[in-house]
Amino acid sequence: MSFDKFQGTQDYIVSAELRDAVNVAISLERPLLIRGEPGTGKTLLSKSIAKALDKPIVNWHVKSTTRAQEGLYIYDTVQRLNDSRFGGGDVENVAHYIKLGPLGQAFDAKERVILLIDEIDKADIEFPNDLLNELDEMSFRIRETGRLVKAVERPIIIITSNAEKELPDAFLRRCIFHYISFPSSEMMKEIIKVHFPKIEEELMTQALLKFYWLREQPEVRKKPSTSELMDWLGALQRAGMSTENLKGNFPFLGVLLKKEADLVGIEKRVN
Amino acid sequence: MRGIPVSLTELLLLIEALQKGHADSNLVVFYGLARSILVKKVEHFDIYDRVFAEFFKDIEFPAEMMTQIQDDLLDWLKDPKTFEGLENREGQEHDLDELRRMFEERLNEQKERHDGGNKWVGTGGTSPFGHGGKNPAGIRIGGPGGGRSAVQIAMDRRFNNLRSDLVLDVRQFSSALRRLRILSKDGQVEELDVDETIDKTAQNAGEIELVFSKPRKNQVKLLLLCDVGGSMNPYSRTTSLLFSAAHQAQHFKQFKSYYFHNCPYGKLYSDMSRREAVNTEDVLKNLDSSWRCIIVGDAAMAPYELMDAGGMLDFSSMNRDTGLIWLQRILEKVPRSVWLNPDPVRYWNSSYTARIISQLYPMFPFTLSGIDDAIAELRKR
């Protein structure tokens, strides 16, 4: 196959299914939509792809107030008005007041870039629909100057979503979709080894047993995620905990459980 | 495809991907590939798994592939070391040469797939040939070994608990409720109206005059009525989730919620234990047709509770008007009303009152997809 192939990177462990999905998206030039629990590495994925393929990355963090237009370009009318009234700036030149947004930058780039549209579901429900045409054509026209911004190299687009809002069907149809499941304990071991190369096998196994047990408890409202596990292992190591200490004891529970009610409930049962 | 919305675009995309060789002639890769292109919601993964397993479980392998399998097996047989644990096992019933001869014979005799049984090459039986079986000295053909087959992966149904008709939490309710909005310009002045500003500024001979306009606001007013107690007890957790989601939702122009038992009559209650009552009439007085109403209840009660005056279950009070009349009154005030029923759809028809009520109110199952449909109904102007 004649395209850049993504294989994961040393510090980002990727499942075979996710790896295939990334490669399909790259090869078919479709946006890749990633969903999954918090802490499963949705955002990190794009960084890993950028690193593996050695391409620059453009980030677009979507907020509740973000509008599609901001991704393309912003025409700073207020600045221009101000300049025309009080002098300063190149008022005659409209282009001077046009600033490309993340999508515009990604299209305008000389080489192929990775465009991360992070947490697309945070924005207005209509937001994804407003981007359909631009994502299809990979181009848009700046109304004020008539300039056409067109991607020479179609960017690799990674979109993440926490499923806070339903995404419109028309938008979904254009995407390749992947759901990052919570890592199995096998895969988690690999991830841990990336972060803690020197960890003892026995300690890791014991810690994982406790960690997955905790995630299974129905009264835990906010299940601990990968990043919390890493913090916890870090805490265990720094405190010089050994496998012995873990037996019949659940130290540093507060690192894993962030909700007061969760912590109190579980604390009573384990310690 | 059994409720997975797949469009032509996606099918063509899958074909394109196959042409580019992404499936790698491997069913496991194909499983992931087809899913990433065809299925866009985790809620549909389980349906996909079931369809996939159903479609591929009886797949017949083409003749050339069959010979390939035979050759592989014969190669294995030439090198007994690849049969792990075989040589150590006691009570071997066939020696290797005999086994190999029998296998070739049997493979040629066999015309079809066999699962179970004790002679043919297949799965799950006691014949010495096949996989997943129990013959202590048999030949395992294909099946799991290192990797897992796509059908097995699909049969695991790992995404079962992500089905939309099963999982509900506050956040999901909130997402569903957030779709209930109709926007129009209203509220505090906030946004700079550029066109108007330029216009005014030009008229002002270049002296800047800023003009602000009103941002769009949600116009939806929501009334939520909920059946509590009795047959609704098993659903109390889910209904309370919906209530907290609705209370958290900041985007309604107005929001009111009340409880009732079995059927709303002259009184509605502002608490779950039904101590603080308000007159239904007073509630209705403050409503108009710009409101929307969601009623949650199993709609299952004794017929007299709905149809008779004085039929209400709480005997301490007496209703002059029947429950049905009250339901009609609510509907007259708030024509855009829906009913969410937590009972499985198959029970609806067997309840007389549920049948009657569903003729009045569009009735939807109290699941995520049911709520989505109900909200789509409410969004109709």
Side-chain angles (χ1 to χ4, degrees), chain A residues 1 17 24 27 30 35 77-78 81 85 124-125 164-166 172-173 175-177 179, chain B residues 7 10 20 22 33 35-36 39-42 45 158 171 175 178 181 192 194 206-207:
Chain A
M1 274 174 273
E17 277 182 8
V24 168
S27 146
R30 296 291 172 136
R35 255 186 71 183
T77 36
V78 178
L81 220 66
R85 175 66 182 80
D124 191 89
I125 289 173
E164 273 195 36
K165 289 181 192 127
E166 287 280 310
L172 290 175
R173 271 202 289 279
C175 298
I176 307 290
F177 176 68
Y179 176 79
Chain B
S7 70
E10 284 147 324
K20 289 192 174 175
H22 279 292
L33 175 74
R35 196 183 64 196
S36 68
V39 191
K40 303 298 163 62
K41 289 183 182 171
V42 199
F45 275 15
R158 289 168 291 164
R171 203 175 183 76
S175 318
R178 254 184 242 175
R181 51 179 202 173
L192 179 68
V194 171
E207 197 64 39

mmCIF file of all heavy atoms in Angstrom, chain A residues 1 17 24 27 30 35 77-78 81 85 124-125 164-166 172-173 175-177 179, chain B residues 7 10 20 22 33 35-36 39-42 45 158 171 175 178 181 192 194 206-207:
data_model
loop_
_atom_site.group_PDB
_atom_site.id
_atom_site.type_symbol
_atom_site.label_atom_id
_atom_site.label_comp_id
_atom_site.label_asym_id
_atom_site.label_seq_id
_atom_site.Cartn_x
_atom_site.Cartn_y
_atom_site.Cartn_z
ATOM 1 N N MET A 1 0.847 -1.194 0.000
ATOM 2 C CA MET A 1 0.000 0.000 0.000
ATOM 3 C C MET A 1 0.879 1.240 0.000
ATOM 4 O O MET A 1 1.870 1.301 0.730
ATOM 5 C CB MET A 1 -0.920 -0.005 1.214
ATOM 6 C CG MET A 1 -2.201 -0.786 0.956
ATOM 7 S SD MET A 1 -3.184 -0.917 2.438
ATOM 8 C CE MET A 1 -2.462 -2.389 3.167
ATOM 9 N N GLU A 17 -6.916 -3.155 16.041
ATOM 10 C CA GLU A 17 -8.123 -2.591 15.421
ATOM 11 C C GLU A 17 -7.981 -1.090 15.214
ATOM 12 O O GLU A 17 -8.334 -0.560 14.161
ATOM 13 C CB GLU A 17 -9.352 -2.883 16.290
ATOM 14 C CG GLU A 17 -9.935 -4.253 16.051
ATOM 15 C CD GLU A 17 -11.189 -4.495 16.893
ATOM 16 O OE1 GLU A 17 -11.673 -3.554 17.535
ATOM 17 O OE2 GLU A 17 -11.662 -5.645 16.897
ATOM 18 N N VAL A 24 -6.813 2.979 7.527
ATOM 19 C CA VAL A 24 -7.916 3.079 6.576
ATOM 20 C C VAL A 24 -8.284 4.545 6.363
ATOM 21 O O VAL A 24 -8.457 5.009 5.236
ATOM 22 C CB VAL A 24 -9.156 2.287 7.069
ATOM 23 C CG1 VAL A 24 -10.373 2.627 6.230
ATOM 24 C CG2 VAL A 24 -8.881 0.800 6.991
ATOM 25 N N SER A 27 -5.650 6.260 4.289
ATOM 26 C CA SER A 27 -5.642 5.822 2.892
ATOM 27 C C SER A 27 -6.884 6.288 2.139
ATOM 28 O O SER A 27 -6.817 6.646 0.972
ATOM 29 C CB SER A 27 -5.511 4.300 2.856
ATOM 30 O OG SER A 27 -6.216 3.758 1.792
ATOM 31 N N ARG A 30 -10.364 10.053 4.779
ATOM 32 C CA ARG A 30 -11.577 10.393 5.510
ATOM 33 C C ARG A 30 -11.200 10.792 6.933
ATOM 34 O O ARG A 30 -10.219 10.272 7.462
ATOM 35 C CB ARG A 30 -12.526 9.179 5.590
ATOM 36 C CG ARG A 30 -13.030 8.724 4.263
ATOM 37 C CD ARG A 30 -13.975 9.755 3.692
ATOM 38 N NE ARG A 30 -14.318 9.413 2.321
ATOM 39 C CZ ARG A 30 -15.566 9.479 1.863
ATOM 40 N NH1 ARG A 30 -16.542 9.859 2.648
ATOM 41 N NH2 ARG A 30 -15.813 9.193 0.611
ATOM 42 N N ARG A 35 -14.073 7.696 19.614
ATOM 43 C CA ARG A 35 -14.830 7.836 20.851
ATOM 44 C C ARG A 35 -14.247 6.905 21.881
ATOM 45 O O ARG A 35 -13.574 5.950 21.540
ATOM 46 C CB ARG A 35 -16.301 7.457 20.603
ATOM 47 C CG ARG A 35 -17.226 8.644 20.534
ATOM 48 C CD ARG A 35 -18.654 8.188 20.434
ATOM 49 N NE ARG A 35 -19.091 7.607 21.697
ATOM 50 C CZ ARG A 35 -20.293 7.069 21.862
ATOM 51 N NH1 ARG A 35 -21.138 7.002 20.879
ATOM 52 N NH2 ARG A 35 -20.647 6.576 23.032
ATOM 53 N N THR A 77 -13.065 42.435 12.162
ATOM 54 C CA THR A 77 -13.673 43.702 11.745
ATOM 55 C C THR A 77 -13.465 44.805 12.763
ATOM 56 O O THR A 77 -13.252 45.959 12.403
ATOM 57 C CB THR A 77 -15.196 43.540 11.572
ATOM 58 O OG1 THR A 77 -15.653 42.645 12.565
ATOM 59 C CG2 THR A 77 -15.522 43.019 10.206
ATOM 60 N N VAL A 78 -13.529 44.428 14.029
ATOM 61 C CA VAL A 78 -13.423 45.454 15.059
ATOM 62 C C VAL A 78 -12.054 46.124 14.993
ATOM 63 O O VAL A 78 -11.939 47.350 15.057
ATOM 64 C CB VAL A 78 -13.663 44.836 16.450
ATOM 65 C CG1 VAL A 78 -13.504 45.895 17.520
ATOM 66 C CG2 VAL A 78 -15.048 44.226 16.513
ATOM 67 N N LEU A 81 -12.008 48.383 11.927
ATOM 68 C CA LEU A 81 -12.803 49.569 12.193
ATOM 69 C C LEU A 81 -12.015 50.535 13.068
ATOM 70 O O LEU A 81 -11.956 51.741 12.821
ATOM 71 C CB LEU A 81 -14.083 49.139 12.936
ATOM 72 C CG LEU A 81 -15.379 49.819 12.556
ATOM 73 C CD1 LEU A 81 -15.756 49.462 11.145
ATOM 74 C CD2 LEU A 81 -16.478 49.389 13.510
ATOM 75 N N ARG A 85 -10.519 54.249 12.077
ATOM 76 C CA ARG A 85 -10.935 55.438 12.818
ATOM 77 C C ARG A 85 -9.733 56.139 13.435
ATOM 78 O O ARG A 85 -9.606 57.352 13.356
ATOM 79 C CB ARG A 85 -11.921 55.015 13.921
ATOM 80 C CG ARG A 85 -12.359 56.116 14.854
ATOM 81 C CD ARG A 85 -13.197 57.175 14.132
ATOM 82 N NE ARG A 85 -13.578 58.249 15.044
ATOM 83 C CZ ARG A 85 -12.782 59.250 15.387
ATOM 84 N NH1 ARG A 85 -11.546 59.287 14.913
ATOM 85 N NH2 ARG A 85 -13.204 60.184 16.213
ATOM 86 N N ASP A 124 -21.920 23.417 19.688
ATOM 87 C CA ASP A 124 -23.337 23.382 19.348
ATOM 88 C C ASP A 124 -23.675 22.152 18.516
ATOM 89 O O ASP A 124 -22.830 21.616 17.805
ATOM 90 C CB ASP A 124 -23.664 24.639 18.538
ATOM 91 C CG ASP A 124 -25.145 24.821 18.374
ATOM 92 O OD1 ASP A 124 -25.743 25.459 19.244
ATOM 93 O OD2 ASP A 124 -25.698 24.319 17.374
ATOM 94 N N ILE A 125 -24.923 21.719 18.632
ATOM 95 C CA ILE A 125 -25.339 20.510 17.935
ATOM 96 C C ILE A 125 -25.161 20.635 16.423
ATOM 97 O O ILE A 125 -24.859 19.662 15.734
ATOM 98 C CB ILE A 125 -26.806 20.185 18.303
ATOM 99 C CG1 ILE A 125 -26.859 19.710 19.750
ATOM 100 C CG2 ILE A 125 -27.382 19.121 17.392
ATOM 101 C CD1 ILE A 125 -28.240 19.522 20.280
ATOM 102 N N GLU A 164 -21.065 13.471 24.324
ATOM 103 C CA GLU A 164 -21.962 14.277 25.136
ATOM 104 C C GLU A 164 -23.205 14.611 24.332
ATOM 105 O O GLU A 164 -24.291 14.764 24.856
ATOM 106 C CB GLU A 164 -21.277 15.576 25.539
ATOM 107 C CG GLU A 164 -20.476 15.437 26.789
ATOM 108 C CD GLU A 164 -20.115 16.779 27.342
ATOM 109 O OE1 GLU A 164 -20.927 17.695 27.233
ATOM 110 O OE2 GLU A 164 -19.001 16.893 27.860
ATOM 111 N N LYS A 165 -22.992 14.807 23.049
ATOM 112 C CA LYS A 165 -24.122 15.089 22.178
ATOM 113 C C LYS A 165 -24.066 14.123 21.014
ATOM 114 O O LYS A 165 -23.000 13.702 20.593
ATOM 115 C CB LYS A 165 -24.019 16.512 21.630
ATOM 116 C CG LYS A 165 -24.275 17.549 22.673
ATOM 117 C CD LYS A 165 -24.179 18.936 22.092
ATOM 118 C CE LYS A 165 -24.146 19.946 23.206
ATOM 119 N NZ LYS A 165 -23.028 20.854 23.133
ATOM 120 N N GLU A 166 -25.222 13.834 20.499
ATOM 121 C CA GLU A 166 -25.287 13.022 19.304
ATOM 122 C C GLU A 166 -24.707 13.806 18.145
ATOM 123 O O GLU A 166 -24.996 14.984 17.974
ATOM 124 C CB GLU A 166 -26.754 12.708 19.003
ATOM 125 C CG GLU A 166 -27.364 11.715 19.931
ATOM 126 C CD GLU A 166 -26.995 10.309 19.552
ATOM 127 O OE1 GLU A 166 -27.155 9.954 18.378
ATOM 128 O OE2 GLU A 166 -26.537 9.569 20.435
ATOM 129 N N LEU A 172 -21.568 11.755 10.428
ATOM 130 C CA LEU A 172 -21.048 10.426 10.748
ATOM 131 C C LEU A 172 -20.756 9.618 9.487
ATOM 132 O O LEU A 172 -19.786 8.875 9.425
ATOM 133 C CB LEU A 172 -22.051 9.671 11.626
ATOM 134 C CG LEU A 172 -22.205 10.199 13.051
ATOM 135 C CD1 LEU A 172 -23.307 9.442 13.769
ATOM 136 C CD2 LEU A 172 -20.900 10.055 13.815
ATOM 137 N N ARG A 173 -21.638 9.776 8.497
ATOM 138 C CA ARG A 173 -21.469 9.008 7.258
ATOM 139 C C ARG A 173 -20.110 9.229 6.623
ATOM 140 O O ARG A 173 -19.581 8.357 5.965
ATOM 141 C CB ARG A 173 -22.555 9.397 6.259
ATOM 142 C CG ARG A 173 -23.813 8.566 6.374
ATOM 143 C CD ARG A 173 -24.594 8.603 5.087
ATOM 144 N NE ARG A 173 -25.217 9.893 4.855
ATOM 145 C CZ ARG A 173 -26.359 10.276 5.414
ATOM 146 N NH1 ARG A 173 -26.978 9.487 6.241
ATOM 147 N NH2 ARG A 173 -26.878 11.451 5.141
ATOM 148 N N CYS A 175 -17.299 9.819 8.136
ATOM 149 C CA CYS A 175 -16.149 9.496 8.979
ATOM 150 C C CYS A 175 -15.879 7.993 9.018
ATOM 151 O O CYS A 175 -16.747 7.182 8.765
ATOM 152 C CB CYS A 175 -16.389 9.950 10.413
ATOM 153 S SG CYS A 175 -16.620 11.701 10.584
ATOM 154 N N ILE A 176 -14.632 7.675 9.353
ATOM 155 C CA ILE A 176 -14.304 6.332 9.794
ATOM 156 C C ILE A 176 -14.428 6.388 11.303
ATOM 157 O O ILE A 176 -14.017 7.359 11.923
ATOM 158 C CB ILE A 176 -12.850 5.971 9.416
ATOM 159 C CG1 ILE A 176 -12.599 6.197 7.941
ATOM 160 C CG2 ILE A 176 -12.513 4.555 9.840
ATOM 161 C CD1 ILE A 176 -13.292 5.244 7.019
ATOM 162 N N PHE A 177 -15.014 5.349 11.893
ATOM 163 C CA PHE A 177 -15.301 5.422 13.321
ATOM 164 C C PHE A 177 -14.523 4.364 14.085
ATOM 165 O O PHE A 177 -14.411 3.229 13.657
ATOM 166 C CB PHE A 177 -16.804 5.238 13.538
ATOM 167 C CG PHE A 177 -17.207 5.208 14.982
ATOM 168 C CD1 PHE A 177 -17.094 6.342 15.750
ATOM 169 C CD2 PHE A 177 -17.689 4.050 15.555
ATOM 170 C CE1 PHE A 177 -17.453 6.334 17.089
ATOM 171 C CE2 PHE A 177 -18.058 4.036 16.887
ATOM 172 C CZ PHE A 177 -17.941 5.170 17.653
ATOM 173 N N TYR A 179 -14.088 3.055 18.288
ATOM 174 C CA TYR A 179 -14.361 3.211 19.708
ATOM 175 C C TYR A 179 -13.214 2.585 20.478
ATOM 176 O O TYR A 179 -12.927 1.402 20.302
ATOM 177 C CB TYR A 179 -15.675 2.511 20.059
ATOM 178 C CG TYR A 179 -16.009 2.539 21.527
ATOM 179 C CD1 TYR A 179 -16.552 3.690 22.095
ATOM 180 C CD2 TYR A 179 -15.778 1.437 22.335
ATOM 181 C CE1 TYR A 179 -16.849 3.729 23.447
ATOM 182 C CE2 TYR A 179 -16.072 1.471 23.686
ATOM 183 C CZ TYR A 179 -16.607 2.619 24.230
ATOM 184 O OH TYR A 179 -16.900 2.656 25.575
ATOM 185 N N SER B 7 -25.506 3.793 4.771
ATOM 186 C CA SER B 7 -25.889 4.435 3.524
ATOM 187 C C SER B 7 -25.021 3.911 2.383
ATOM 188 O O SER B 7 -24.032 3.225 2.588
ATOM 189 C CB SER B 7 -25.720 5.941 3.647
ATOM 190 O OG SER B 7 -24.346 6.241 3.706
ATOM 191 N N GLU B 10 -21.321 4.766 2.491
ATOM 192 C CA GLU B 10 -20.459 3.951 3.332
ATOM 193 C C GLU B 10 -20.145 2.617 2.672
ATOM 194 O O GLU B 10 -19.033 2.116 2.772
ATOM 195 C CB GLU B 10 -21.129 3.740 4.695
ATOM 196 C CG GLU B 10 -21.017 4.978 5.552
ATOM 197 C CD GLU B 10 -22.197 5.178 6.459
ATOM 198 O OE1 GLU B 10 -23.328 4.865 6.033
ATOM 199 O OE2 GLU B 10 -21.999 5.670 7.577
ATOM 200 N N LYS B 20 -8.409 -1.410 -2.117
ATOM 201 C CA LYS B 20 -7.064 -0.986 -1.768
ATOM 202 C C LYS B 20 -6.338 -2.022 -0.913
ATOM 203 O O LYS B 20 -5.229 -1.785 -0.446
ATOM 204 C CB LYS B 20 -7.107 0.350 -1.025
ATOM 205 C CG LYS B 20 -7.481 1.503 -1.934
ATOM 206 C CD LYS B 20 -7.244 2.840 -1.271
ATOM 207 C CE LYS B 20 -7.494 3.947 -2.275
ATOM 208 N NZ LYS B 20 -7.403 5.285 -1.687
ATOM 209 N N HIS B 22 -7.240 -3.292 2.125
ATOM 210 C CA HIS B 22 -7.166 -3.092 3.567
ATOM 211 C C HIS B 22 -7.597 -4.303 4.375
ATOM 212 O O HIS B 22 -7.223 -4.436 5.531
ATOM 213 C CB HIS B 22 -8.019 -1.892 3.976
ATOM 214 C CG HIS B 22 -7.320 -0.602 3.753
ATOM 215 N ND1 HIS B 22 -6.220 -0.238 4.478
ATOM 216 C CD2 HIS B 22 -7.530 0.397 2.860
ATOM 217 C CE1 HIS B 22 -5.799 0.934 4.060
ATOM 218 N NE2 HIS B 22 -6.574 1.336 3.071
ATOM 219 N N LEU B 33 -12.438 -3.562 9.882
ATOM 220 C CA LEU B 33 -12.540 -2.611 8.767
ATOM 221 C C LEU B 33 -13.994 -2.271 8.470
ATOM 222 O O LEU B 33 -14.381 -1.098 8.427
ATOM 223 C CB LEU B 33 -11.882 -3.222 7.523
ATOM 224 C CG LEU B 33 -12.004 -2.409 6.243
ATOM 225 C CD1 LEU B 33 -11.073 -1.216 6.297
ATOM 226 C CD2 LEU B 33 -11.699 -3.266 5.030
ATOM 227 N N ARG B 35 -16.513 -2.637 10.308
ATOM 228 C CA ARG B 35 -17.168 -1.952 11.412
ATOM 229 C C ARG B 35 -16.786 -0.477 11.436
ATOM 230 O O ARG B 35 -17.631 0.385 11.636
ATOM 231 C CB ARG B 35 -16.808 -2.608 12.745
ATOM 232 C CG ARG B 35 -17.743 -2.180 13.861
ATOM 233 C CD ARG B 35 -17.352 -2.767 15.190
ATOM 234 N NE ARG B 35 -16.064 -2.264 15.594
ATOM 235 C CZ ARG B 35 -15.332 -2.813 16.552
ATOM 236 N NH1 ARG B 35 -15.742 -3.893 17.164
ATOM 237 N NH2 ARG B 35 -14.164 -2.303 16.877
ATOM 238 N N SER B 36 -15.498 -0.180 11.212
ATOM 239 C CA SER B 36 -15.083 1.219 11.311
ATOM 240 C C SER B 36 -15.706 2.064 10.205
ATOM 241 O O SER B 36 -15.877 3.262 10.357
ATOM 242 C CB SER B 36 -13.557 1.332 11.301
ATOM 243 O OG SER B 36 -13.048 0.972 10.046
ATOM 244 N N VAL B 39 -20.304 1.247 10.795
ATOM 245 C CA VAL B 39 -21.011 1.488 12.055
ATOM 246 C C VAL B 39 -20.411 2.695 12.757
ATOM 247 O O VAL B 39 -19.225 2.725 13.034
ATOM 248 C CB VAL B 39 -20.917 0.254 12.982
ATOM 249 C CG1 VAL B 39 -21.864 0.415 14.149
ATOM 250 C CG2 VAL B 39 -21.243 -1.003 12.205
ATOM 251 N N LYS B 40 -21.246 3.689 13.036
ATOM 252 C CA LYS B 40 -20.718 4.936 13.577
ATOM 253 C C LYS B 40 -21.116 5.178 15.019
ATOM 254 O O LYS B 40 -20.825 6.222 15.582
ATOM 255 C CB LYS B 40 -21.195 6.119 12.713
ATOM 256 C CG LYS B 40 -20.809 6.009 11.255
ATOM 257 C CD LYS B 40 -19.291 5.989 11.075
ATOM 258 C CE LYS B 40 -18.850 5.472 9.730
ATOM 259 N NZ LYS B 40 -19.290 6.262 8.615
ATOM 260 N N LYS B 41 -21.843 4.251 15.594
ATOM 261 C CA LYS B 41 -22.241 4.446 16.980
ATOM 262 C C LYS B 41 -21.942 3.190 17.774
ATOM 263 O O LYS B 41 -22.246 2.087 17.318
ATOM 264 C CB LYS B 41 -23.739 4.753 17.058
ATOM 265 C CG LYS B 41 -24.061 6.125 16.523
ATOM 266 C CD LYS B 41 -25.520 6.440 16.672
ATOM 267 C CE LYS B 41 -25.767 7.816 16.073
ATOM 268 N NZ LYS B 41 -27.158 8.151 15.967
ATOM 269 N N VAL B 42 -21.373 3.387 18.961
ATOM 270 C CA VAL B 42 -21.054 2.227 19.791
ATOM 271 C C VAL B 42 -22.313 1.449 20.115
ATOM 272 O O VAL B 42 -22.277 0.237 20.262
ATOM 273 C CB VAL B 42 -20.409 2.676 21.121
ATOM 274 C CG1 VAL B 42 -19.682 1.526 21.741
ATOM 275 C CG2 VAL B 42 -19.493 3.832 20.909
ATOM 276 N N PHE B 45 -22.717 -1.420 17.901
ATOM 277 C CA PHE B 45 -21.671 -2.438 17.777
ATOM 278 C C PHE B 45 -22.219 -3.834 18.046
ATOM 279 O O PHE B 45 -21.840 -4.796 17.402
ATOM 280 C CB PHE B 45 -20.515 -2.147 18.745
ATOM 281 C CG PHE B 45 -19.509 -1.175 18.204
ATOM 282 C CD1 PHE B 45 -19.810 -0.388 17.096
ATOM 283 C CD2 PHE B 45 -18.259 -1.061 18.782
ATOM 284 C CE1 PHE B 45 -18.885 0.508 16.587
ATOM 285 C CE2 PHE B 45 -17.323 -0.165 18.273
ATOM 286 C CZ PHE B 45 -17.646 0.620 17.186
ATOM 287 N N ARG B 158 -18.726 -8.176 22.822
ATOM 288 C CA ARG B 158 -18.097 -7.341 23.842
ATOM 289 C C ARG B 158 -18.863 -6.046 24.079
ATOM 290 O O ARG B 158 -18.706 -5.392 25.084
ATOM 291 C CB ARG B 158 -16.677 -6.941 23.398
ATOM 292 C CG ARG B 158 -15.691 -8.056 23.405
ATOM 293 C CD ARG B 158 -14.431 -7.613 22.690
ATOM 294 N NE ARG B 158 -14.663 -7.450 21.262
ATOM 295 C CZ ARG B 158 -13.842 -6.785 20.473
ATOM 296 N NH1 ARG B 158 -12.788 -6.197 20.952
ATOM 297 N NH2 ARG B 158 -14.106 -6.684 19.183
ATOM 298 N N ARG B 171 -25.929 11.602 32.335
ATOM 299 C CA ARG B 171 -25.293 12.302 31.248
ATOM 300 C C ARG B 171 -25.983 12.013 29.925
ATOM 301 O O ARG B 171 -26.164 12.886 29.089
ATOM 302 C CB ARG B 171 -23.840 11.842 31.187
ATOM 303 C CG ARG B 171 -22.951 12.815 30.524
ATOM 304 C CD ARG B 171 -21.526 12.314 30.641
ATOM 305 N NE ARG B 171 -20.635 13.285 30.060
ATOM 306 C CZ ARG B 171 -20.303 14.415 30.639
ATOM 307 N NH1 ARG B 171 -20.807 14.711 31.819
ATOM 308 N NH2 ARG B 171 -19.477 15.243 30.044
ATOM 309 N N SER B 175 -27.790 14.560 27.421
ATOM 310 C CA SER B 175 -27.524 14.709 25.988
ATOM 311 C C SER B 175 -28.819 14.640 25.203
ATOM 312 O O SER B 175 -29.041 15.411 24.277
ATOM 313 C CB SER B 175 -26.604 13.602 25.478
ATOM 314 O OG SER B 175 -25.588 13.369 26.370
ATOM 315 N N ARG B 178 -30.794 17.766 25.707
ATOM 316 C CA ARG B 178 -30.204 18.947 25.095
ATOM 317 C C ARG B 178 -30.673 19.129 23.661
ATOM 318 O O ARG B 178 -30.599 20.212 23.113
ATOM 319 C CB ARG B 178 -28.679 18.832 25.103
ATOM 320 C CG ARG B 178 -28.092 19.748 26.151
ATOM 321 C CD ARG B 178 -26.616 19.696 26.065
ATOM 322 N NE ARG B 178 -26.105 19.178 27.321
ATOM 323 C CZ ARG B 178 -24.835 18.917 27.530
ATOM 324 N NH1 ARG B 178 -23.969 19.104 26.564
ATOM 325 N NH2 ARG B 178 -24.431 18.482 28.689
ATOM 326 N N ARG B 181 -34.611 21.651 21.782
ATOM 327 C CA ARG B 181 -34.531 23.108 21.829
ATOM 328 C C ARG B 181 -34.913 23.684 20.482
ATOM 329 O O ARG B 181 -34.694 23.096 19.436
ATOM 330 C CB ARG B 181 -33.139 23.567 22.234
ATOM 331 C CG ARG B 181 -32.062 22.930 21.403
ATOM 332 C CD ARG B 181 -30.753 23.453 21.849
ATOM 333 N NE ARG B 181 -29.813 23.279 20.771
ATOM 334 C CZ ARG B 181 -28.595 23.752 20.795
ATOM 335 N NH1 ARG B 181 -28.182 24.453 21.808
ATOM 336 N NH2 ARG B 181 -27.799 23.554 19.787
ATOM 337 N N LEU B 192 -21.872 41.527 18.868
ATOM 338 C CA LEU B 192 -21.659 42.685 18.008
ATOM 339 C C LEU B 192 -22.235 42.399 16.621
ATOM 340 O O LEU B 192 -21.892 41.407 15.987
ATOM 341 C CB LEU B 192 -20.151 42.963 17.883
ATOM 342 C CG LEU B 192 -19.766 44.141 16.996
ATOM 343 C CD1 LEU B 192 -20.195 45.452 17.603
ATOM 344 C CD2 LEU B 192 -18.274 44.137 16.728
ATOM 345 N N VAL B 194 -21.993 43.229 13.135
ATOM 346 C CA VAL B 194 -20.988 43.912 12.328
ATOM 347 C C VAL B 194 -21.631 44.736 11.214
ATOM 348 O O VAL B 194 -21.316 45.927 11.040
ATOM 349 C CB VAL B 194 -19.984 42.895 11.744
ATOM 350 C CG1 VAL B 194 -19.072 43.589 10.738
ATOM 351 C CG2 VAL B 194 -19.163 42.289 12.863
ATOM 352 N N GLY B 206 -18.171 58.150 9.984
ATOM 353 C CA GLY B 206 -16.925 57.520 10.398
ATOM 354 C C GLY B 206 -16.716 57.449 11.893
ATOM 355 O O GLY B 206 -15.773 56.810 12.369
ATOM 356 N N GLU B 207 -17.563 58.095 12.632
ATOM 357 C CA GLU B 207 -17.469 57.965 14.096
ATOM 358 C C GLU B 207 -18.047 56.602 14.467
ATOM 359 O O GLU B 207 -19.215 56.326 14.185
ATOM 360 C CB GLU B 207 -18.278 59.088 14.750
ATOM 361 C CG GLU B 207 -17.951 59.316 16.216
ATOM 362 C CD GLU B 207 -16.528 59.782 16.425
ATOM 363 O OE1 GLU B 207 -16.031 60.601 15.611
ATOM 364 O OE2 GLU B 207 -15.901 59.317 17.385
#
